[in-house]
Amino acid sequence: MPFMAAAIPYIMVAAAAVGAVAAVQQGRAAKAAGEYNARVAEQNAQYAREQSALQAQQADREGRLRLGAIRAAHGASGGAAAEGSVIDVLGDVASQNELERQDILYRGAALAGGFQGTANLDRMQGRTGQTTGYLKAGQALLDGASQSYKAYQRV
């Protein structure tokens, strides 16, 4: 039994070391998870930008087709291309087309910005988790040393 009593402080130190290693590993895992989540969010941001650019191109194409259809219909009815009401209609349609295109790009940029914000937050949480792991490791070592010293004094 005296051997066991003498071994208790060393066992406590070993347990503290294991706890410290576990805390460091937990912090590293938190950082890795944050980095992974950030990369996914950044990919989503890029996807949102690409999708909005494609949608804006499609809206632009549809707008040009609408303008062409208006010109063709007006020409088929015998009207001159430079008549006032046709110019007004073409201007309104062109303005509406551009507004729609800009709205699509804005929504895409806003969505991408949200994903980028999420990526930044994920990275920050990962770094915070890693720092917390290091602090917990230090705490485990100090607690273990303190308890080991107390146990050593009792032996």
Side-chain angles (χ1 to χ4, degrees):
M1 238 4 170
F3 170 73
M4 270 311 261
I8 288 177
Y10 300 105
I11 294 170
M12 294 176 112
V13 168
V18 168
V21 169
V24 168
Q25 291 298 337
Q26 182 181 11
R28 287 181 182 163
K31 184 175 183 195
E35 282 296 320
Y36 174 79
N37 290 338
R39 283 192 304 274
V40 168
E42 286 173 339
Q43 288 172 352
N44 287 338
Q46 183 60 32
Y47 176 73
R49 283 188 286 272
E50 290 169 1
Q51 281 298 104
S52 67
L54 287 173
Q55 289 173 349
Q57 286 176 350
Q58 181 63 26
D60 192 40
R61 180 181 172 280
E62 289 171 3
R64 286 192 314 270
L65 290 174
R66 277 193 294 271
L67 289 172
I70 292 169
R71 285 186 190 108
H74 183 69
S77 70
E83 288 181 1
S85 62
V86 171
I87 301 259
D88 291 341
V89 169
L90 290 173
D92 288 346
V93 170
S95 294
Q96 187 60 36
N97 291 342
E98 180 60 19
L99 183 61
E100 182 180 353
R101 190 181 78 76
Q102 291 294 325
D103 181 57
I104 290 168
L105 292 174
Y106 173 78
R107 284 185 278 130
L111 185 60
F115 284 126
Q116 191 61 54
T118 299
N120 295 340
L121 181 60
D122 287 339
R123 280 202 175 88
M124 186 174 58
Q125 287 174 335
R127 287 190 302 268
T128 301
Q130 185 177 34
T131 301
T132 300
Y134 290 142
L135 292 173
K136 284 182 179 180
Q139 179 186 8
L141 290 173
L142 291 174
D143 285 348
S146 172
Q147 291 183 12
S148 176
Y149 179 73
K150 288 177 186 176
Y152 178 76
Q153 285 183 326
R154 282 185 251 148
V155 176

